Amino acid sequence: MAQRQLDQVFGGGGDFLRPVTTADLSQLTMIDAIVKETLRLFPTAPVGTRLAAEDIPLAGGRYIAPRGCCVFLAFYLLHRNPELFPDPDKFDPGRFLPGGSATSRRSCSYLPFSTGPRRCVGGPFATMEMKILLATLLRWFRILPGSSREELESISFSVTSHPLTGYRVSFIPREIQSFK
Ligand code: HEM
């Protein structure tokens, strides 16, 4: 579906492999949805930390994070909470397509770049970079997974997260002459 959208956006003028523009990006809703859904299931920064400046009631007051303690924010678990993302383990970019279930999500339920005054300053840049890269590679290649989902779920968590086995993918050149 992402490649069909790329073919529509880049296929018309005979310059299928031209650089991506910001106007193109606004039309590439599927690429946007894939990047968002990937960061939901596999947030590059799986946890964040904050120092509690005051006593903070948690879970409706059942617990208190006392002033001065270090609070871990588990973005990875937040993103897999079934109350926030139904069928949370399913890779379903459709959630982030216009009208999808995640487009009307609760605030602070999706935080790949954290939130607040110390949130990632590079978030919009990183997102644009990922979308341009994917929109470029998917015009040239069909990308097939070489790692199983189980392998991808075997993750080493630290400041950033990585699958223990690495990522394996195959790139199959597309028949792009047909677009010229
Ligand atoms: C997929 C790519 C990226 C992800 C998922 C990501 C995520 C994050 C997260 C979760 C934080 C912690 C914020 C907090 O504690 O509230 C952070 C901090 C930060 N990020 Fe990123 N980041 C990415 C790319 C980038 C890029 C490309 C840049 C620079 C161009 C950047 C610059 C920063 C800086 C400077 C901070 C520290 C902000 C502060 O402490 O005030 N990040 N990032």
Side-chain angles (χ1 to χ4, degrees):
M1 191 170 160
Q3 274 176 332
R4 216 175 311 134
Q5 198 172 57
L6 288 164
D7 294 349
Q8 278 164 10
V9 172
F10 293 91
D15 54 352
F16 183 67
L17 296 173
R18 66 179 165 77
V20 181
T21 65
T22 43
D24 296 327
L25 284 182
S26 63
Q27 295 184 68
L28 296 174
T29 50
M30 195 61 200
I31 297 282
D32 178 69
I34 290 171
V35 168
K36 285 188 173 133
E37 179 69 343
T38 304
L39 284 176
R40 182 186 70 80
L41 276 172
F42 301 102
T44 320
V47 291
T49 52
R50 289 291 185 269
L51 193 67
E54 55 191 62
D55 288 356
I56 303 171
L58 300 173
R62 264 192 297 153
Y63 309 100
I64 298 281
R67 178 173 179 268
C69 79
C70 180
V71 179
F72 268 81
L73 312 166
F75 306 130
Y76 174 90
L77 295 177
L78 176 75
H79 292 176
R80 293 188 184 222
N81 181 336
E83 285 179 22
L84 303 172
F85 296 97
D87 202 358
D89 294 335
K90 185 176 177 198
F91 179 78
D92 175 14
R95 308 171 196 269
F96 288 101
L97 284 175
S101 60
T103 56
S104 56
R105 61 184 177 267
R106 240 187 278 170
S107 79
C108 290
S109 59
Y110 177 71
L111 299 175
F113 297 105
S114 186
T115 186
R118 301 305 297 266
R119 70 186 176 279
C120 178
V121 290
F125 172 75
T127 303
M128 186 174 69
E129 213 178 17
M130 287 183 281
K131 291 201 279 192
I132 290 174
L133 189 68
L134 199 54
T136 302
L137 290 175
L138 281 177
R139 276 179 289 157
W140 280 94
F141 301 101
R142 263 184 81 212
I143 305 178
L144 300 179
S147 300
S148 67
R149 178 65 190 269
E150 288 71 30
E151 286 171 317
L152 293 180
E153 292 289 351
S154 177
I155 296 168
S156 114
F157 286 115
S158 180
V159 174
T160 54
S161 60
H162 310 269
L164 291 171
T165 53
Y167 308 91
R168 283 189 301 278
V169 284
S170 304
F171 285 73
I172 319 280
R174 294 181 75 202
E175 301 262 335
I176 47 182
Q177 286 82 351
S178 58
F179 299 112
K180 291 190 174 161

